[in-house]
Structures are given as C-alpha cells and as structure tokens.
Amino acid sequence: RAAAMSAGAPAAAPAAAAAPPPIEKAAVEDLLEAMDGFVPTIPEEVTRFYLRQTGFQTPDDRLVKLVSLAAQKFAADVAQEAVQRCKWRRDGMRAKDRADDKRLVLTAEDLAEALKDRGVSIAKPLFYYDGGAGRGEP
C-alpha cells in the first residue's frame, strides 16, 4: 500500500467529523421553561438590539434570553480567567515590589490574554500612544 501511495495514487478522503448526538426537543423545551424565572445580567433589550444589528430576528423572547445567558456565561468566564492571570502575575512579582499589598490590579493585558484564549484579539488603539510625552520628550 505504501508503494501505491508513493506512486501517486490518490489518498483516501479524510473521515467526516462525527455529528453531535441529536438534542431532544423536550430537553430544549425544559431548558427554555427553566429560564422563565431567570433575569440575565445583560438586559434582553441590549441582546435584542445586537441580534438585530446582525440581521437576526425572532419572535421568541426565550431565545433572546438564552443568548443573553450565553453572553453572560462568556463574560463571566473571561473575567474569571483574567483575574486568575492577574493573580499569577502578582505572585510572580518580587516580594519587595508587592509591598504586602493583597489587592489585585486587573490590567488590559490580563483581559486581552483571557480573550485571546477564546479567539478574540484586542489591540490598544493608536490614540493611546503617548509618543514619549511621559518621559520628558516632545
């Protein structure tokens, strides 16, 4: 077989990815009903606005609430990871630089790294560049 492969024979097609198991309609309905009493941190009006901006419209308010819940989960996960990175950075500092300060200072770099792990890249806009003004340079 190896000889056939090296002789220019076409390679076998890669196996198709296995489809996820089907979700039962009853399970989805149960989830949507369980969310009735839930009030998301991100208001549904804000979620609905951004969904419309992308061209998505639905008459089902439960679906908008589900998207709000997913956005809330994403934001909470990013914040948790950014705080963890902040702790790692603080623990890596020399003892004299810490000065027994137990407070955490979350930086934009901590947040950027947490977002980067989830496929979101952010960059500081050019108008934040001080051009050396803070160092006595013109």
Side-chain angles (χ1 to χ4, degrees), residues 45-100:
E45 295 78 20
V46 172
T47 303
R48 189 173 286 110
F49 171 79
Y50 284 106
L51 286 174
R52 283 190 197 129
Q53 292 293 317
T54 63
F56 181 84
Q57 293 182 356
T58 180
D60 192 352
D61 290 337
R62 299 176 306 170
L63 189 56
V64 174
K65 188 178 274 192
L66 183 63
V67 173
S68 291
L69 178 62
Q72 179 177 333
K73 171 77 168 108
F74 177 80
D77 287 350
V78 168
Q80 181 180 6
E81 184 169 337
V83 168
Q84 186 63 43
R85 288 180 177 280
C86 180
K87 288 178 182 177
W88 290 337
R89 185 175 37 82
R90 183 194 63 193
D91 293 343
M93 295 173 70
R94 294 182 305 205
K96 69 177 186 173
D97 292 338
R98 278 190 278 180
D100 295 327

Side-chain angles (χ1 to χ4, degrees), residues 86-136:
C86 180
K87 288 178 182 177
W88 290 337
R89 185 175 37 82
R90 183 194 63 193
D91 293 343
M93 295 173 70
R94 294 182 305 205
K96 69 177 186 173
D97 292 338
R98 278 190 278 180
D100 295 327
D101 193 2
K102 300 294 182 197
R103 295 181 297 163
L104 295 176
V105 178
L106 188 65
T107 64
E109 288 79 19
D110 296 327
L111 184 59
E113 286 298 316
L115 285 167
K116 187 171 147 184
D117 290 347
R118 287 172 171 69
V120 178
S121 62
I122 60 172
K124 193 181 290 187
L126 291 176
F127 58 82
Y128 281 113
Y129 178 70
D130 67 359
R135 295 183 295 272

